[in-house]
Amino acid sequence: GGEEVQAVSWAMSVAPALSRVRSAGRADRSRERPRSRRPMAREDFGFQRRKGRGPRQQPTVASVRDDREPEPGDRVPEGVFAGMLKADRRVSRAIHDAVLDRGAVPRWALEALERAGSGLIWFPGSLAALGVAFGSRTSSPQAFWVLSNFMAGLVLDVLIVGTVKGAFRRRRPNYTGEENGGYKTIIKVDSFSFPSGHTSRSAFVALFLLLVAGGGGGAGPIAAVVWALATAASRVALGRHYASDVAAGMVAAALNVALLTKGHFSAPYFVLEKALLGL
């Protein structure tokens, strides 16, 4: 009986010491392996978690999304498609070098085309013109109808281009080592390259003027077509886009006009009908 009492007494005296040892061990391990917490980054979304192995990012098609070198886990296109992408980058760089580096066209002229195709000019200017036309819609209903559909086309252009840019997320060419090749963007989606927004906007303006003119000539529509083609070429020459981005911008403009005219490519079929506008 006395030995049992001594054993229990000894265990009770040792227990606090063992508890302190275990606590110190846990503290040492926590110092050795500090837990780091970081905010959720955008890249975290879309990860697939494998049980017990942490997050794994879905492989991306590197050569489609940007011009970086493939990384482990990337699905690299092969065959004809890969050759087309390489040719696209090679031709785009050759155009840039021939025009800018060799001085075939002055840089100021290319940048003037860039400013002329900017949405910062077209949206405020079109809204101002639409406001004036709205005030005189009774005496000039045709002008208000045309400008209303033109404004709708500009908005539709942004929606089409922004959606495709966000889906492909292709990086712009970078021949200078600066972010986005030195191009100043306004919103995040502008930092992506495919398709070219300047090209789609200028091509839409040219196509719209052709529609309003009934498909005929005239100084205005012809000048707009020349301006649209020059803007498209300048985007590659300045190193803002690849040639395929420019081609896709033209396709986006055609899609825009198709939606705006309900597939008829004719002004009488504009989606904003005169009756809808109360004219």
Side-chain angles (χ1 to χ4, degrees):
E3 293 179 355
E4 292 178 357
V5 171
Q6 290 179 356
V8 170
S9 176
W10 178 82
M12 293 179 63
S13 63
V14 169
L18 291 175
S19 178
R20 286 194 296 272
V21 170
R22 283 196 294 268
S23 298
R26 284 195 296 268
D28 290 341
R29 286 194 297 272
S30 64
R31 285 194 295 269
E32 292 172 2
R33 295 193 302 271
R35 296 181 64 187
S36 60
R37 294 182 178 272
R38 62 175 178 81
M40 289 292 289
R42 189 177 183 203
E43 292 79 5
D44 291 332
F45 297 99
F47 285 2
Q48 285 189 342
R49 183 173 293 278
R50 295 175 294 172
K51 187 175 181 180
R53 293 191 180 183
R56 178 181 65 180
Q57 189 175 14
Q58 288 285 10
T60 60
V61 183
S63 298
V64 173
R65 293 167 65 98
D66 51 56
D67 61 343
R68 63 183 170 86
E69 291 297 321
E71 297 176 356
D74 285 342
R75 296 195 308 269
V76 181
E78 298 178 355
V80 176
F81 187 46
M84 291 172 61
L85 291 169
K86 290 180 181 178
D88 178 31
R89 291 194 292 268
R90 185 169 58 249
V91 169
S92 302
R93 182 60 187 263
I95 293 173
H96 168 77
D97 293 346
V99 174
L100 273 188
D101 293 352
R102 299 173 189 172
V105 179
R107 187 180 186 91
W108 64 264
L110 299 174
E111 291 180 343
L113 288 169
E114 181 174 73
R115 286 189 289 272
S118 172
L120 296 177
I121 292 178
W122 282 98
F123 273 94
S126 300
L127 281 173
L130 183 61
V132 172
F134 178 79
S136 59
R137 66 188 182 282
T138 304
S139 58
S140 302
Q142 184 76 3
F144 179 63
W145 173 65
V146 169
L147 285 171
S148 296
N149 281 281
F150 182 74
M151 193 70 217
L154 288 180
V155 173
L156 191 56
D157 171 71
V158 171
L159 293 176
I160 294 172
V161 172
T163 300
V164 178
K165 280 179 180 283
F168 281 85
R169 305 173 67 83
R170 187 186 197 186
R171 296 178 186 176
R172 292 179 180 270
N174 192 346
Y175 306 139
T176 63
E178 302 175 81
E179 184 179 3
N180 295 323
Y183 180 59
K184 305 300 181 183
T185 59
I186 300 174
I187 57 178
K188 176 62 176 178
V189 76
D190 279 341
S191 64
F192 303 129
S193 184
F194 183 89
S196 167
H198 278 70
T199 300
S200 68
R201 187 177 302 112
S202 60
F204 162 72
V205 172
L207 290 173
F208 188 91
L209 290 179
L210 286 172
L211 289 179
V212 173
I222 292 176
V225 170
V226 173
W227 166 67
L229 293 174
T231 299
S234 72
R235 305 310 290 159
V236 181
L238 279 171
R240 308 300 197 211
H241 289 280
Y242 297 106
S244 60
D245 303 336
V246 167
M250 293 182 177
V251 173
L255 175 61
N256 186 356
V257 172
L259 294 174
L260 195 65
T261 60
K262 294 176 282 190
H264 293 278
F265 290 90
S266 179
Y269 294 94
F270 279 148
V271 68
L272 295 181
E273 302 173 357
K274 292 182 179 180
L276 185 63
L277 297 173
L279 303 175

